[in-house]
Amino acid sequence: MSSTFDRGTRTVGATVDRNISKIIGMGTALVAVNILVMLGLSYTPIAPLGAALFSSFFVGIAVFAVTVGGGFWIATKGVERGNMGLAGAGVLLIQGGYGLFGAAILYIYGGGGIRIPALGITTVITGAITAVIATVVFKSNYDFSGWQRYAFGCFIGGLVVGAAGVFLSPLLVVVAGLLFFLGFIVDLTYEIWAVRENRYASDLRNAIGIYVAVMGVFVHVLQWVLRILSMLDR
């Protein structure tokens, strides 16, 4: 949900000493740690707690917004102010939010021995999606600056459609999930474009933005992979 919380962090027109290798390294490390966190939590009592929280659309959205959205806002403010303690606290909150959500998914759908294979498959798929988006962004001259607004629109649309689905039809909740997934895809495109255009005067800010968007894609793909594997395992 980085599109929601980084309105004040732009440095349009600034000259930035961008280090793409460093950005990729930090972003990859954050993603890898978060995957291990969700796997570890899936074997603890926290997993059924997460499953109970996310079984309610409204409660789940609130938890996700506070942890992932709030954590991103805190981390961004920390980077802006040069306060690495605050930035670290924000990242830990994001890690906790995604870890709780991922653990809940693994607990609900990951019976038997499919959790680790599902995480492996999801990692490959998410990596491929990220690579395709990065290739398109870096090999084109297209201006993706407006995609931050589009991502925000997808998230709001998912919230509205999902809320309606709670009262009208479960199918709408499924559509809401697709809108959230699309929102993270669009947000990831924007974050990669921001790296290309030196949009933010901080490699850490770039890495955190990409990490949040990649993990958003990851947890959605994980749900689908787990459902498919669980059906094949029966």
Side-chain angles (χ1 to χ4, degrees):
M1 294 189 175
S2 55
S3 61
T4 310
F5 297 99
D6 59 0
R7 303 297 183 193
T9 60
R10 298 182 181 183
T11 55
V12 180
T15 300
V16 182
D17 184 15
R18 179 189 62 193
N19 187 328
I20 293 181
S21 296
K22 184 179 178 181
I23 294 168
I24 293 173
M26 290 189 294
T28 301
L30 289 170
V31 169
V33 169
N34 222 158
I35 292 173
L36 292 176
V37 167
M38 64 175 60
L39 177 61
L41 291 178
S42 71
Y43 294 103
T44 72
I46 293 177
L49 172 62
L53 291 173
F54 288 105
S55 64
S56 167
F57 179 80
F58 295 110
V59 174
I61 289 294
V63 171
F64 195 89
V66 169
T67 55
V68 175
F72 183 81
W73 185 84
I74 292 171
T76 299
K77 289 300 180 183
V79 172
E80 284 181 327
R81 298 170 184 175
N83 187 333
M84 290 302 100
L86 186 63
V91 170
L92 286 176
L93 191 55
I94 298 168
Q95 290 271 335
Y98 274 130
L100 180 63
F101 187 48
I105 297 170
L106 290 168
Y107 173 78
I108 295 170
Y109 302 109
I114 67 173
R115 293 184 186 183
I116 293 178
L119 287 171
I121 294 170
T122 302
T123 299
V124 171
I125 294 174
T126 304
I129 292 172
T130 304
V132 169
I133 293 173
T135 300
V136 171
V137 170
F138 274 89
K139 289 194 175 294
S140 73
N141 293 318
Y142 188 80
D143 181 3
F144 292 95
S145 59
W147 283 45
Q148 189 179 47
R149 295 190 299 273
Y150 302 152
F152 181 66
C154 288
F155 294 137
I156 294 299
L159 178 60
V160 172
V161 172
V166 171
F167 301 103
L168 299 177
S169 170
L171 181 60
L172 291 177
V173 178
V174 175
V175 175
L178 293 175
L179 284 171
F180 288 133
F181 174 68
L182 179 60
F184 281 112
I185 290 287
V186 174
D187 194 36
L188 179 57
T189 304
Y190 169 80
E191 292 292 347
I192 293 175
W193 172 84
V195 173
R196 189 194 79 182
E197 295 298 310
N198 295 336
R199 194 74 165 178
Y200 301 104
S202 168
D203 289 339
L204 179 58
R205 163 59 187 86
N206 284 321
I208 293 173
I210 290 175
Y211 150 63
V212 171
V214 167
M215 285 304 303
V217 174
F218 184 93
V219 293
H220 282 84
V221 174
L222 179 61
Q223 294 181 73
W224 301 328
V225 170
L226 281 168
R227 288 180 179 181
I228 293 172
L229 291 181
S230 63
M231 287 189 295
L232 295 176
D233 195 46
R234 291 174 184 171

